[in-house]
Amino acid sequence: MTNPFLSDVAAPPIGQAAVWAAAYDGAHGPLINLSQAVPGHAPPPELARRLAEAAGTASAARYGPVLGDSALRDAYAAHVSGLYGATIGAAEVGITAGCNQAFFTALMTLARTGDAVILPGPAYFNHTMTLQMLGIEARLVETTAASGFVPEIAAIERLIDDRVKAVALVTPNNPTGAIYPPSLLAEVFALCQRRGVALILDETYRDFLPPGDAAPHGLFARPGWQETLVGLYSFSKSYAIPGHRLGAMTAGEAFLAQAEKVLDCIQICAPRPPQMAVEWAIPALAEWRAEMTAEILARAAVFRETLAPFPGWRIEQMGAYFAYVRHPFPGRTDVAEILARQFGVVTLPGSFFGPGQENHLRIAFANVSAERIAGLDERLILAEALLGGGSDKAFPPPIPALA
């Protein structure tokens, strides 16, 4: 009775990890949940107050403009104009219910069943799930540790044919954490412009880049960017409000006019209270965002130090929110499940991000305190003893995937 495209899509990976986590009995201390890229802290008090205040107003309970409240579109356009050294108008901004909705909308605007979109592999699972359920081919341009998990421009070009409608990149990357250099992004943009395909650039983790004077890239300053580039962003991570579902698209007006039709059918408008609060927060919380970035970078350093005494656990790439780690048990496909159920360390297996990734784990260190990250060492010792030390301790068989 169900759509076969949808039936063939795997169950949501975060839900699967949650089932594993729920089976942990607490024997080795509190759960260390490194599975999901969510902030581990609450929004600042003033933002929380404004969210609550907005939620109690009559205007916030009503429908708003499909592409977002004008005040937030103005504020975000001013912000990205300053960030990228470009002139981006409010009419070139659309507000969405989170970045996943922005990606889904972009795909429906650009492609139809039978078309193809190029993704870097390993690929963010919600992106491949979206393509699969829409009947759009996901063409993976494979990346490796040797290249820093950064795709090669020649490999992307080889995959482009008449069916390809877009190249979709995530930087800083999910799952690997790789930060794509501006020079590569410029090359990919020029390739897409030349071949007449769109470049979807998901910059959900943009605000957590190491501090620097340069913009993440210069694409929005290029003439005619509106014909090629679709920028995606999430307010969830930067403002610690993932449950309020707020994202953004930056694109040409002609593109947004078509995307508006999709948004109107999915949700009509993004939630109103966070739109009202974040319009204030964009300029007001710049210093707070910088402090949170510094804290997350410090957690990354603690994570690196914690794994240093374990040569078998190799950090092959690390970025704003994630580490992509090769575990020391080649051929084992149940490492993430065992870590979660037996030792209370919840990660995501590389297999969730595509074929050939079975020997990796995605570890999201940003949402866990430095103290708890440092406590990983004892559990890794125990895991190595069980998985690699010839222990005869029985472990339950893998649980089936969620229905």
Side-chain angles (χ1 to χ4, degrees):
M1 293 288 291
T2 59
N3 179 346
F5 286 151
L6 190 59
S7 300
D8 290 342
V9 176
I14 296 297
Q16 179 67 81
V19 172
W20 299 340
Y24 174 58
D25 63 7
H28 303 290
L31 192 76
I32 303 176
N33 195 338
L34 303 164
S35 67
Q36 194 167 19
V38 294
H41 52 271
E46 179 60 16
L47 177 56
R49 185 189 69 78
R50 288 173 179 265
L51 284 164
E53 186 177 273
T57 63
S59 58
R62 299 190 181 103
Y63 289 132
V66 174
L67 287 173
D69 291 0
S70 59
L72 179 55
R73 295 175 76 187
D74 286 339
Y76 185 69
H79 173 68
V80 290
S81 293
L83 176 64
Y84 294 107
T87 302
I88 298 170
E92 295 167 330
V93 168
I95 303 301
T96 62
C99 195
N100 269 358
Q101 189 191 63
F103 183 81
F104 197 100
T105 300
L107 261 293
M108 290 198 71
T109 304
L110 292 166
R112 60 184 177 181
T113 298
D115 288 336
V117 170
I118 296 171
L119 303 175
Y124 175 41
F125 50 76
N126 280 149
H127 286 181
T128 53
M129 290 168 72
T130 296
L131 291 169
Q132 192 174 2
M133 68 180 63
L134 293 175
I136 299 169
E137 178 191 354
R139 292 191 184 174
L140 297 185
V141 53
E142 294 299 338
T143 64
T144 65
S147 66
F149 293 100
V150 174
E152 296 180 356
I153 187 70
I156 295 174
E157 184 160 21
R158 284 195 294 270
L159 293 178
I160 296 177
D161 61 19
D162 291 343
R163 289 177 54 215
V164 171
K165 302 304 177 185
V167 176
L169 303 179
V170 184
T171 180
N173 186 255
N174 182 358
T176 68
I179 299 168
Y180 296 170
S183 57
L184 172 70
L185 297 177
E187 286 186 283
V188 177
F189 176 88
L191 170 64
C192 290
Q193 196 173 46
R194 186 171 70 251
R195 298 295 297 269
V197 303
L199 171 58
I200 302 172
L201 194 59
D202 183 335
E203 296 185 275
T204 289
Y205 304 98
R206 173 182 75 201
D207 292 335
F208 303 97
L209 290 167
D213 296 329
H217 56 79
L219 303 186
F220 287 112
R222 294 196 167 217
W225 68 265
Q226 297 90 340
E227 305 300 319
T228 301
L229 183 60
V230 180
L232 308 183
Y233 177 73
S234 170
F235 296 98
S236 300
K237 314 301 187 294
S238 301
Y239 299 90
I241 54 169
H244 286 284
R245 310 310 304 134
L246 203 64
M249 295 188 293
T250 306
E253 292 185 53
F255 175 91
L256 289 177
Q258 299 305 314
E260 183 177 15
K261 302 172 186 177
V262 181
L263 292 170
D264 188 52
C265 290
I266 296 175
Q267 188 164 314
I268 300 179
C269 64
R272 305 294 305 292
Q275 291 194 67
M276 295 173 179
V278 168
E279 177 262 320
W280 163 84
I282 290 174
L285 294 183
E287 185 175 338
W288 180 83
R289 293 197 303 273
E291 291 172 357
M292 293 302 101
T293 296
E295 182 175 324
I296 288 172
L297 292 173
R299 292 176 188 177
V302 171
F303 179 79
R304 191 178 293 278
E305 292 169 5
T306 301
L307 259 65
F310 299 89
W313 299 78
R314 189 164 73 242
I315 300 174
E316 294 197 327
Q317 184 54 276
M318 194 169 183
Y321 248 70
F322 307 110
Y324 204 57
V325 177
R326 179 177 286 273
H327 64 69
F329 314 109
R332 293 293 300 250
T333 60
D334 56 354
V335 173
E337 181 182 359
I338 291 173
L339 285 174
R341 297 181 68 190
Q342 188 85 347
F343 303 109
V345 178
V346 192
T347 65
L348 295 186
S351 57
F352 283 178
F353 302 96
Q357 303 301 317
E358 293 77 12
N359 293 333
H360 290 86
L361 301 174
R362 190 197 78 173
I363 300 179
F365 54 80
N367 63 324
V368 178
S369 69
E371 180 182 7
R372 192 156 291 185
I373 291 170
L376 279 171
D377 54 358
E378 295 179 2
R379 304 195 199 189
L380 292 181
I381 292 171
L382 294 170
E384 286 189 344
L386 176 63
L387 290 166
S391 171
D392 59 0
K393 185 173 182 179
F395 185 77
I399 53 180
L402 295 177

